[in-house]
Amino acid sequence: MIGTGLEDVLPLSPLQEGLLFHALLDEQELDLYAGQLAFDFEGALDVEALRLAAGALLRRHANLRAGFVHEGFDKPVQIIPRRVELPWEEIDLSGAADEEARQAALADVMQADRVKGFDLAAPPLVRFTLVRLGGQRFRFVLTNHHILLDGWSMAVLLRELFTLYLQRGDDAGLPRVTPYRDYLGWIAAQSRDDALKAWAGALEGVEEATLLAPDRRGAAVEPPHYHGHELAEELTAAVTELARRHELTVNTVVQGAWGILLGRLTGRDDVVFGGTVSGRPPEIPGMENLVGLFINTLPVRVRLDPARSLLDLLRTLQDQQADLMNAQHIGLTDIQALVGVGELFDTITVSENYPVDAEGFAEPVEGLRVVGVHTTDDNHYPLSLAVLPGTRMHLRMGYRSDLFDRPAVELVARRLQHILEAIVAEPQLLLGRLDVLTDAERAELAGTARREVPAATVPALFEAVAAGQPAADALRFQDTSLTYGRLNARANRLARELADRGVGPGSFVALALPRSPELVTAQLAVVKAGAAYLPVDPDYPAERIAYILGDAAPALLLTHSSVTLPEGAAGSVATLSLDDEALAASVAGRADTDLTDADRTGATSPSDAAYVIYTSGSTGRPKGVVVTHAGVASLVASQVERFEVGPGSRVLQFASPSFDAAFWELVMGLLTGATLVVAPAADLAPGEALAATVEQHAVTHATIPPVALAVMDPQDLPTV
């Protein structure tokens, strides 16, 4: 424990607070933030000089002697003793039976050192191990907790280490050490309110986290796995030149590309991920040579407007980062509390651009060569991207193997390279025209192309199935079922009613209906009349519903007496309640035969709109996306071929009717000859309710998102 000779008691920097929190929270055997830096030396190593140099580092830099305590304090503090014993160990593997045995023993040494970890309250949180490998071969291992040092500081320490080695621990001639307390004092002098105000503006409108990992519950039980991806010299030079020409940083270009890819992977047009900043304020004298933890992990927000050019996106991103320069000292925890959505992201980018002379480190002192460097520098994020500069830019992807497999991470890296290639090739390209699929993926898709399927409308496809198997179950809802013949007849009667009211090609019909046979009937009736349906979730706020209805201008709004729309939400849109007695009587008197163009207000074709879905609108106004009938026949063919769905299958309608995925399920259930299983929302709650619904209806096909599957046991879905 800490001795009586205290030199200082200091507060923690924002990232130190975060790392201490993770250390206290994480009770696993392995500490992800205990990093190793190992050098393989060949030559006449002066072991005593190296030990003296290591001891001098601890004497020179007070914060290397820091311990971190929280019990008994309102806020955690770092306590710095005047002296600590040098944690130095020498291990001799020179007597190993052969090189294979020696390397196995060396791996065991490295693993044991890594697992050993640190007690953050017991300084120093750094140790040195020298392993003799025989002859003039050595491995020198510097292990430290990340709460002490960042990558830039490690580069400064290494320069000092080799200078001190030459001088056998004498620090004469080395520059005066600027104490870490100067940096902590600088942080304390900054305006917290101004910084939080800046972040509030930068993240205004962010309503949910950007999460890529399917399920992140539980901590990783092993270190992250890594995948390295190296860019060609030509691409590296092109990225650098693009950045120089447009007064951007290379980091901005890479972060912009990552934001684009993250948007496509998550299906969002507004994404947030983590980015590290150096955190070294130029106002502090000697800042470039100061040793400590200065970096900070902060949110990076990228808004993906398809109508903007790639270059415009990058310029906007860099401007945003510049506007936040004076607010980079704030801790991530405070920023996330400000936004109020919990953890904002689960991916981070790291730009490793440290003051290291790689060529000089190859032979740091005369007669001693560095023939290998090994590092571990992990973090708790499910997926991370580290960018290492050089003539060939190196992308190092760190990932949790329980959440991502290696092929998926390799594909992410290739797609990122593809986006970088697109940016340098055509920076004025509109974002909406950017294809993130790699050339190899495109070639694979082209090679697996199936025969052309003639385009057809949803009514034509459904009516063909109904004519072929009128007595087969088309829809199941709780304890009732409808055959294809009965469902088709119901939809035809309602379609004729709509057509007589002027509904037809070119018009929209809004549907504010619960999950029920009436909803499916209405969807079919609208497209049979030639119009497109617009699902409206009655639980949406009145303002959102009013905006959607005002923007789409539907000819009618179909609802039910069991549905209560927010007051004023429907505005002036003509509203019909399907259980109204007069309307029900009128519909019942209609012919139940299939409609022709003569029965409609105009001719129909596969190019007509089938439905319109409004985006989530997490920022700004929601946008309506109109989908035509044109691709439905191909979708049916692919579902039948890929998922073997058809007569006898039972397809669960799991997605909300207001989501695009609901149409996928509708098509899979009714246009393949299968049975569509519809259930109230309460019966689809992940867990026991969903399992009971699946069992009751013997569901064979379901599209369930990972977040819902995460709480299910495979035994809960035996028929799927």
Side-chain angles (χ1 to χ4, degrees), residues 39-214:
F39 288 93
D40 289 334
F41 291 136
E42 284 188 359
L45 178 68
D46 185 336
V47 175
E48 179 62 15
L50 187 60
R51 190 184 68 80
L52 292 172
L57 289 179
L58 292 182
R59 291 194 304 274
R60 277 177 56 80
H61 299 281
N63 52 305
L64 293 186
R65 306 192 298 272
F68 297 80
V69 295
H70 66 285
E71 293 182 356
F73 295 89
D74 293 335
K75 294 193 68 174
V77 296
Q78 45 187 315
I79 298 179
I80 301 174
R82 295 187 184 280
R83 288 178 299 278
V84 292
E85 183 178 346
L86 174 66
W88 177 273
E89 183 179 10
E90 295 183 26
I91 299 173
D92 191 351
L93 300 180
S94 59
D98 52 33
E99 187 59 25
E100 182 178 353
R102 183 178 295 109
Q103 290 301 317
L106 179 59
D108 290 342
V109 168
M110 297 294 290
Q111 178 63 15
D113 175 69
R114 182 81 191 284
V115 172
K116 186 177 180 181
F118 291 96
D119 176 356
L120 296 191
L125 307 183
V126 59
R127 57 179 173 265
F128 305 89
T129 305
L130 182 68
V131 185
R132 299 175 185 268
L133 300 175
Q136 291 190 323
R137 297 166 53 218
F138 304 84
R139 175 169 290 185
F140 177 60
V141 186
L142 193 166
T143 307
N144 72 280
H145 197 283
H146 191 33
I147 200 169
L148 292 186
L149 300 168
D150 54 26
W152 184 297
S153 297
M154 183 63 74
V156 174
L157 276 186
L158 291 176
R159 289 203 309 266
E160 290 195 6
L161 177 70
F162 290 117
T163 299
L164 291 166
Y165 172 83
L166 288 173
Q167 299 175 181
R168 299 185 64 80
D170 184 356
D171 64 355
L174 286 177
R176 171 188 170 273
V177 173
T178 302
Y180 191 61
R181 69 166 12 258
D182 287 6
Y183 167 69
L184 297 175
W186 177 87
I187 288 180
Q190 305 309 300
S191 171
R192 172 182 168 83
D193 290 343
D194 288 349
L196 289 177
K197 183 178 180 181
W199 280 109
L203 299 174
E204 182 180 4
V206 173
E207 298 176 351
E208 56 185 333
T210 303
L211 303 178
L212 185 60

Side-chain angles (χ1 to χ4, degrees), residues 491-532:
N492 284 336
R493 293 191 186 98
L494 181 55
R496 292 180 182 278
E497 178 75 25
L498 297 176
D500 275 1
R501 292 174 179 265
V503 171
S507 58
F508 297 147
V509 174
L511 306 178
L513 295 164
R515 296 170 181 263
S516 62
E518 287 75 20
L519 172 61
V520 177
T521 301
Q523 290 171 320
L524 291 171
V526 170
V527 294
K528 279 173 171 284

Side-chain angles (χ1 to χ4, degrees), residues 567-639:
E567 186 176 353
S572 60
V573 179
T575 302
L576 296 177
S577 181
L578 292 181
D579 58 341
D580 177 80
E581 290 185 4
L583 176 62
S586 177
V587 171
R590 303 282 179 178
D592 63 4
T593 53
D594 295 334
L595 281 72
T596 66
D597 284 346
D599 300 314
R600 305 183 181 99
T601 61
T604 60
S605 77
S607 62
D608 291 340
Y611 66 98
V612 58
I613 294 284
Y614 274 74
T615 63
S616 62
S618 59
T619 60
R621 291 292 193 179
K623 301 177 180 65
V625 179
V626 178
V627 181
T628 70
H629 297 260
V632 177
S634 293
L635 175 60
V636 173
S638 68
Q639 290 175 334

Side-chain angles (χ1 to χ4, degrees), residues 33 100 143 152 244 246 251 267 308 311 399 402 461 518 599 602 625 627 634 678 681 709 715:
Y33 289 97
E100 182 178 353
T143 307
W152 184 297
R244 184 200 61 77
H246 297 288
N251 185 53
R308 299 177 67 184
L311 182 58
Y399 62 97
D402 57 326
L461 294 167
E518 287 75 20
D599 300 314
V625 179
V627 181
S634 293
V678 180
L709 280 177
Q715 296 179 355

